[in-house]
Amino acid sequence: MRAPTYEELRPFGRRETSGFPVYKNLEERLLHAGAHPDPEIAHVMATCSAYAYSGPETVSMIMARLGLEDNQCRMIQLSVDALFLRSTAFVIQSKSGRVAILCYRGTEPLNLINWMVNLDLEPERIAYQIGDGCPTVHGGFYRNTRATRYEVMSTLRHACDRRSVRVSSSDGADLPMMEGELEAFYITGHSLGGAMAGLMAVMMRHERKYREVFADRLRAVYTFGQPMIGNPDFAEACQSDEFLREKVIRYVYDNDMVPHLPPAVSGPFQHFGREYQYRAPRFRNALTDLFEYLGRASQPPKGKWEENVHPTSQASGLPTILLANLAFVAGKFQLTRSLPAVYSVEDHFPQHYISSLIPCGVQNEFGD
């Protein structure tokens, strides 16, 4: 899929304005970001991972609006219902070919097989050596990442060889040449997509055949509302790798339930990488809602993102689901939507990650 031109995106008025595209030099920003997390890149990745629940036409269009003009996008998908496989990835390539984003789709709300993937909790040993002890990972996440891995890697190899990512080919001979080879790429995803993004990063760092090609090209991994991937031995082994410790960046919106999963009753799991959590001032928001209910208009104060010294821990079990759903119901009523909640389904929705990560003075993805 090739992105629509700016003329097609803006059939009336000027081709570019102060708010469109959202980022004027996005490719350069992705190429030369000095440190991670980068606020603009975090916003771009949150938006990309949210729109990964759509198709390649929409993903390509949104990434063009954000600033990757004339990007090329390919969707890679494999589904086997009986095996609980539902793996979807997007590779977005910049116009020059120097930058790419690998984005995994999360759990589709109405897709039963996706939910079965999340529940496929039996631990599985990974197929290569990482750390000591007995590192294991979530079986469903691992199998779904591996299901599309060959085609994902083949597509990225084309990008490294200055080929377009759009067309599937055994040797890439029929693909058009790009201006440059792949220099920098990022991995991202929301929810299940975040778990798959994290696992792919681990594979690229610890499988030699991938590390030799991608070690210097992979710049960072941004995930949003990501569940835990593996047991404590696995997490500790990942923490011993400088890239996985410093450049895997997980965002948790307020009381999002999913980063607390799988629950402790399913066995021990633990996060790795750096964690940032958005903390909303619930008490002040509750007072604001009360004033609004009484007819006194005011703007609720916004929260802020802060790095957590200690990562999110596992929830205990079934009470997690009950509390999260009660918080979701409470959020539908003005007087109760700002009450404190331990866990929340509402806070997992990808639109919250987008809106809370938009830098000050920057337009949303529609650039209007």
Side-chain angles (χ1 to χ4, degrees):
M1 178 65 201
R2 192 181 187 93
T5 65
Y6 283 177
E7 286 79 6
E8 292 171 319
L9 289 173
R10 306 198 95 189
F12 300 98
R14 295 172 56 191
R15 181 179 184 273
E16 295 185 28
T17 61
S18 60
F20 181 89
V22 177
Y23 298 109
K24 303 294 184 185
N25 300 301
L26 180 55
E27 183 182 52
E28 291 299 313
R29 183 78 172 198
L30 292 167
L31 278 169
H32 303 300
H36 295 283
D38 177 285
E40 292 184 1
I41 294 176
H43 173 219
V44 169
M45 297 300 158
T47 306
C48 185
S49 64
Y51 282 93
Y53 290 97
S54 62
E57 296 86 357
T58 301
V59 171
S60 186
M61 177 268 291
I62 290 295
M63 297 308 292
R65 286 184 171 278
L66 287 172
L68 290 183
E69 182 181 8
D70 293 334
N71 71 77
Q72 304 194 51
C73 178
R74 181 177 174 197
M75 183 173 78
I76 300 166
Q77 190 172 61
L78 185 145
S79 298
V80 184
D81 291 356
L83 297 177
F84 302 151
L85 291 175
R86 182 76 174 183
S87 181
T88 304
F90 296 88
V91 179
I92 303 101
Q93 183 182 39
S94 67
K95 179 181 179 180
S96 71
R98 299 169 66 198
V99 173
I101 299 169
L102 169 60
C103 181
Y104 285 98
R105 179 186 290 173
T107 302
E108 299 169 50
L110 300 181
N111 189 290
L112 176 61
I113 300 303
N114 263 176
W115 288 104
M116 295 305 294
V117 170
N118 296 327
L119 296 173
D120 189 9
L121 286 161
E122 185 174 350
E124 187 167 332
R125 291 293 302 271
I126 51 181
Y128 47 88
Q129 181 63 35
I130 176 172
D132 300 319
C134 185
T136 60
V137 294
H138 185 294
F141 298 162
Y142 187 42
R143 284 189 287 277
N144 271 267
T145 306
R146 295 173 73 188
T148 50
R149 179 177 60 172
Y150 170 79
E151 195 167 356
V152 164
M153 291 301 187
S154 179
T155 301
L156 291 173
R157 184 187 66 187
H158 293 333
C160 293
D161 294 336
R162 297 180 58 194
R163 299 286 184 177
S164 167
V165 302
R166 279 194 296 157
V167 185
S168 176
S169 172
S170 58
D171 60 5
D174 60 335
L175 302 181
M177 296 294 291
M178 307 299 290
E179 295 176 23
E181 68 177 45
L182 179 65
E183 296 178 30
F185 86 99
Y186 296 78
I187 312 178
T188 190
H190 170 264
S191 191
L192 164 64
M196 295 170 69
L199 272 171
M200 179 56 82
V202 174
M203 293 175 189
M204 287 185 170
R205 293 292 300 176
H206 286 273
E207 293 195 46
R208 188 175 64 180
K209 60 181 178 292
Y210 300 139
R211 184 173 63 246
E212 291 174 350
V213 178
F214 296 110
D216 295 331
R217 292 181 165 102
L218 179 57
R219 299 299 173 83
V221 179
Y222 287 77
T223 73
F224 309 91
Q226 175 204 313
M228 301 177 199
I229 297 172
N231 71 354
D233 287 339
F234 175 78
E236 289 170 12
C238 291
Q239 286 294 98
S240 68
D241 181 299
E242 182 180 2
F243 180 91
L244 298 177
R245 182 179 65 249
E246 300 295 331
K247 299 296 179 66
V248 173
I249 301 152
R250 296 179 295 101
Y251 288 89
V252 179
Y253 183 85
D254 210 17
N255 297 310
D256 186 347
M257 171 191 71
V258 174
H260 295 273
L261 301 178
V265 294
S266 302
F269 283 80
Q270 186 174 310
H271 281 299
F272 65 90
R274 298 172 67 184
E275 179 176 292
Y276 287 80
Q277 186 169 10
Y278 183 85
R279 302 184 186 279
R282 295 278 178 173
F283 179 71
R284 284 184 292 166
N285 284 351
L287 290 178
T288 299
D289 287 342
L290 176 60
F291 290 146
E292 289 182 347
Y293 185 78
L294 296 174
R296 300 180 183 180
S298 62
Q299 289 292 326
K302 295 184 67 175
K304 60 180 180 179
W305 289 96
E306 298 176 343
E307 185 169 8
N308 284 338
V309 177
H310 302 291
T312 296
S313 59
Q314 284 182 277
S316 58
L318 289 178
T320 304
I321 309 299
L322 177 61
L323 289 171
N325 282 282
L326 286 174
F328 176 76
V329 174
K332 305 302 123 183
F333 301 94
Q334 184 175 2
L335 283 177
T336 57
R337 68 170 54 109
S338 293
L339 293 177
V342 179
Y343 306 112
S344 171
V345 171
E346 174 80 26
D347 287 352
H348 186 60
F349 294 168
Q351 61 264 34
H352 295 307
Y353 285 94
I354 295 177
S355 61
S356 61
L357 282 165
I358 297 178
C360 182
V362 172
Q363 296 279 2
N364 62 24
E365 64 268 27
F366 296 103
D368 296 321

